[in-house]
Amino acid sequence: MLFVSLGYFPDSNESTSQRIHVQKSLQIKGKTAVVFSHQFMLPFRHDPLLLSRIKPVPGSDQLASLPLNETSILVISAKNCSEEPLLLQSKSIEVDDGVERPCTLEHGGMDILHPAHLVPGEEFKKVFTVIPKVESSCLHLESVSLRWRRNSEMEDLSTSAATQEWVLTKHQLPDVKAELPPLVLNLEFPPYAVLGDPLMYSVKIRNQTRLLQEVKFSLGDAQGFVLSGSHRDTVFVLPKSEHELSYKLVPFASGPHQLP
């Protein structure tokens, strides 16, 4: 609420006239300007096998699980929920230098080179990489810092930055669960193929445990390809070693196709 009180004299003779008071109150409705959201993703063609995702424990906390010593992708979105256009100066994750942290969290690309314009309802996304270093059931992450201010079409960016201060908004990232994946799968194949020319399609299975792992696999056919290789088999992967499944594919139809 905004409250204004005004006192004045009806004439110029203040000694004989009586002061008159006027009071006015105004209700102010506030809105959250920026709303944050996040999403954890796996790298392209890289899939660590996490047991908590395959067999979740009933009644346990639903924390996001990240593979230990593996790179995970964190996409953080900032949405303009106000009715005014905003100007974003920077979006970063601030950490204390010299302090040993249980995970490495860095931005995956270039920072904002110039202030970014964000119209009402628009989202600004930035990609970060997360590498957990310690196995933990509740790993604490850092907070995201966003510097922004209102953007007026009439103002000059070269002069307004010095007169108008930036607003700092922080968003605490949720806790995650870091666990060691027993198996890590990597897919290797070219980004495109020439019609009629064979190409190699391989699946690498890395055993990160100290035990011999038995892996049963099956491969489904895909339209648009003729392939050679085992469709269904059982292989054994030695401890701390890698096993590769290779296939030769020949495309016989043009256009986008799903791989086997």
Side-chain angles (χ1 to χ4, degrees):
M1 177 182 293
L2 178 64
F3 181 78
V4 178
S5 177
L6 174 65
Y8 68 95
F9 294 96
D11 52 38
S12 59
N13 191 359
E14 300 181 1
S15 60
T16 58
S17 60
Q18 185 179 3
R19 182 191 295 269
I20 300 176
H21 295 274
V22 179
Q23 297 177 350
K24 181 69 175 179
S25 61
L26 176 65
Q27 293 285 346
I28 298 178
K29 182 180 180 182
K31 292 184 178 181
T32 302
V34 180
V35 175
F36 290 89
S37 61
H38 70 279
Q39 180 184 7
F40 289 101
M41 303 174 59
L42 293 176
F44 184 55
R45 305 177 182 176
H46 187 78
D47 187 11
L49 180 66
L50 297 180
L51 299 181
S52 61
R53 296 180 181 177
I54 299 176
K55 295 182 179 181
V57 179
S60 61
D61 50 356
Q62 300 298 324
L63 294 180
S65 298
L66 301 182
L68 183 66
N69 296 325
E70 298 288 340
T71 301
S72 298
I73 306 299
L74 172 61
V75 182
I76 301 179
S77 304
K79 183 178 181 180
N80 182 6
C81 295
S82 66
E83 299 178 356
E84 300 289 335
L86 302 180
L87 199 63
L88 306 185
Q89 184 191 41
S90 63
K91 185 178 182 181
S92 60
I93 295 181
E94 298 180 357
V95 295
D96 297 331
D97 296 334
V99 179
E100 186 177 358
R101 299 184 299 274
C103 67
T104 301
L105 211 158
E106 300 176 350
H107 67 87
M110 299 179 62
D111 203 352
I112 305 177
L113 300 180
H114 303 285
H117 299 266
L118 201 65
V119 299
E122 186 181 3
E123 283 187 343
F124 178 81
K125 297 183 179 182
K126 191 172 182 181
V127 179
F128 297 86
T129 57
V130 184
I131 305 177
K133 300 295 184 180
V134 178
E135 189 172 3
S136 173
S137 60
C138 187
L139 188 62
H140 181 70
L141 299 180
E142 306 292 341
S143 59
V144 182
S145 299
L146 179 69
R147 296 185 182 273
W148 61 275
R149 64 177 172 84
R150 289 181 57 183
N151 180 26
S152 176
E153 297 179 355
M154 302 301 295
E155 66 184 9
D156 186 8
L157 296 179
S158 61
T159 58
S160 62
T163 59
Q164 188 175 2
E165 295 184 356
W166 296 89
V167 180
L168 177 61
T169 302
K170 291 189 176 182
H171 172 70
Q172 179 63 46
L173 294 174
D175 297 336
V176 296
K177 179 181 180 181
E179 57 179 307
L180 178 66
L183 298 177
V184 180
L185 304 181
N186 285 285
L187 304 181
E188 294 185 0
F189 49 86
Y192 65 93
V194 179
L195 194 65
D197 292 347
L199 61 103
M200 294 304 300
Y201 171 56
S202 62
V203 181
K204 295 183 178 180
I205 306 173
R206 186 169 77 247
N207 181 10
Q208 299 194 143
T209 67
R210 299 183 180 276
L211 302 174
L212 181 68
Q213 297 294 334
E214 178 183 355
V215 178
K216 296 181 180 180
F217 70 92
S218 61
L219 185 71
D221 293 330
Q223 296 181 356
F225 291 99
V226 176
L227 60 97
S228 63
S230 178
H231 282 58
R232 188 184 303 269
D233 199 358
T234 300
V235 296
F236 295 91
V237 186
L238 296 176
K240 302 296 181 179
S241 63
E242 188 176 72
H243 183 82
E244 182 177 356
L245 304 174
S246 298
Y247 298 90
K248 180 175 290 187
L249 279 66
V250 179
F252 61 86
S254 59
H257 295 281
Q258 184 178 1
L259 288 172

